[in-house]
mmCIF file of all heavy atoms in Angstrom:
data_model
loop_
_atom_site.group_PDB
_atom_site.id
_atom_site.type_symbol
_atom_site.label_atom_id
_atom_site.label_comp_id
_atom_site.label_asym_id
_atom_site.label_seq_id
_atom_site.Cartn_x
_atom_site.Cartn_y
_atom_site.Cartn_z
ATOM 1 N N ALA I 451 83.773 68.736 -25.562
ATOM 2 C CA ALA I 451 82.474 69.384 -25.769
ATOM 3 C C ALA I 451 82.660 70.856 -26.112
ATOM 4 O O ALA I 451 81.982 71.393 -26.981
ATOM 5 C CB ALA I 451 81.597 69.215 -24.530
ATOM 6 N N LEU I 452 83.590 71.528 -25.427
ATOM 7 C CA LEU I 452 83.870 72.933 -25.703
ATOM 8 C C LEU I 452 84.419 73.096 -27.116
ATOM 9 O O LEU I 452 84.020 73.995 -27.856
ATOM 10 C CB LEU I 452 84.851 73.479 -24.661
ATOM 11 C CG LEU I 452 85.222 74.956 -24.791
ATOM 12 C CD1 LEU I 452 83.973 75.824 -24.674
ATOM 13 C CD2 LEU I 452 86.229 75.346 -23.734
ATOM 14 N N PHE I 453 85.326 72.210 -27.500
ATOM 15 C CA PHE I 453 85.889 72.252 -28.847
ATOM 16 C C PHE I 453 84.795 72.071 -29.895
ATOM 17 O O PHE I 453 84.760 72.763 -30.906
ATOM 18 C CB PHE I 453 86.968 71.183 -29.008
ATOM 19 C CG PHE I 453 87.536 71.138 -30.395
ATOM 20 C CD1 PHE I 453 88.408 72.123 -30.839
ATOM 21 C CD2 PHE I 453 87.172 70.125 -31.278
ATOM 22 C CE1 PHE I 453 88.913 72.095 -32.114
ATOM 23 C CE2 PHE I 453 87.672 70.090 -32.559
ATOM 24 C CZ PHE I 453 88.557 71.077 -32.987
ATOM 25 N N ALA I 454 83.869 71.151 -29.665
ATOM 26 C CA ALA I 454 82.779 70.904 -30.603
ATOM 27 C C ALA I 454 81.894 72.133 -30.745
ATOM 28 O O ALA I 454 81.462 72.475 -31.845
ATOM 29 C CB ALA I 454 81.955 69.701 -30.165
ATOM 30 N N LEU I 455 81.620 72.830 -29.652
ATOM 31 C CA LEU I 455 80.800 74.044 -29.714
ATOM 32 C C LEU I 455 81.496 75.159 -30.485
ATOM 33 O O LEU I 455 80.867 75.916 -31.211
ATOM 34 C CB LEU I 455 80.455 74.528 -28.302
ATOM 35 C CG LEU I 455 79.400 73.730 -27.561
ATOM 36 C CD1 LEU I 455 79.253 74.245 -26.136
ATOM 37 C CD2 LEU I 455 78.071 73.790 -28.287
ATOM 38 N N LEU I 456 82.804 75.270 -30.326
ATOM 39 C CA LEU I 456 83.554 76.295 -31.047
ATOM 40 C C LEU I 456 83.679 75.976 -32.532
ATOM 41 O O LEU I 456 83.781 76.862 -33.361
ATOM 42 C CB LEU I 456 84.942 76.466 -30.432
ATOM 43 C CG LEU I 456 84.970 77.046 -29.014
ATOM 44 C CD1 LEU I 456 86.394 77.038 -28.481
ATOM 45 C CD2 LEU I 456 84.390 78.444 -28.997
ATOM 46 N N ALA I 457 83.651 74.712 -32.892
ATOM 47 C CA ALA I 457 83.825 74.315 -34.289
ATOM 48 C C ALA I 457 82.550 74.471 -35.110
ATOM 49 O O ALA I 457 82.607 74.599 -36.323
ATOM 50 C CB ALA I 457 84.309 72.866 -34.363
ATOM 51 N N VAL I 458 81.379 74.491 -34.482
ATOM 52 C CA VAL I 458 80.106 74.580 -35.221
ATOM 53 C C VAL I 458 80.032 75.825 -36.107
ATOM 54 O O VAL I 458 79.693 75.727 -37.285
ATOM 55 C CB VAL I 458 78.905 74.493 -34.245
ATOM 56 C CG1 VAL I 458 77.604 74.840 -34.938
ATOM 57 C CG2 VAL I 458 78.834 73.097 -33.653
ATOM 58 N N PRO I 459 80.366 77.043 -35.627
ATOM 59 C CA PRO I 459 80.309 78.203 -36.516
ATOM 60 C C PRO I 459 81.269 78.090 -37.695
ATOM 61 O O PRO I 459 80.960 78.528 -38.796
ATOM 62 C CB PRO I 459 80.676 79.380 -35.618
ATOM 63 C CG PRO I 459 80.412 78.915 -34.233
ATOM 64 C CD PRO I 459 80.641 77.431 -34.247
ATOM 65 N N LEU I 460 82.430 77.492 -37.482
ATOM 66 C CA LEU I 460 83.383 77.333 -38.569
ATOM 67 C C LEU I 460 82.843 76.386 -39.639
ATOM 68 O O LEU I 460 83.005 76.626 -40.835
ATOM 69 C CB LEU I 460 84.723 76.817 -38.041
ATOM 70 C CG LEU I 460 85.464 77.761 -37.097
ATOM 71 C CD1 LEU I 460 86.712 77.088 -36.556
ATOM 72 C CD2 LEU I 460 85.806 79.054 -37.805
ATOM 73 N N LEU I 461 82.183 75.327 -39.249
ATOM 74 C CA LEU I 461 81.591 74.404 -40.221
ATOM 75 C C LEU I 461 80.464 75.066 -40.991
ATOM 76 O O LEU I 461 80.322 74.873 -42.196
ATOM 77 C CB LEU I 461 81.083 73.146 -39.506
ATOM 78 C CG LEU I 461 82.142 72.206 -38.950
ATOM 79 C CD1 LEU I 461 81.491 71.091 -38.140
ATOM 80 C CD2 LEU I 461 82.990 71.637 -40.066
#
Side-chain angles (χ1 to χ4, degrees):
L452 181 60
F453 177 74
L455 285 175
L456 293 175
V458 169
L460 295 175
L461 290 174

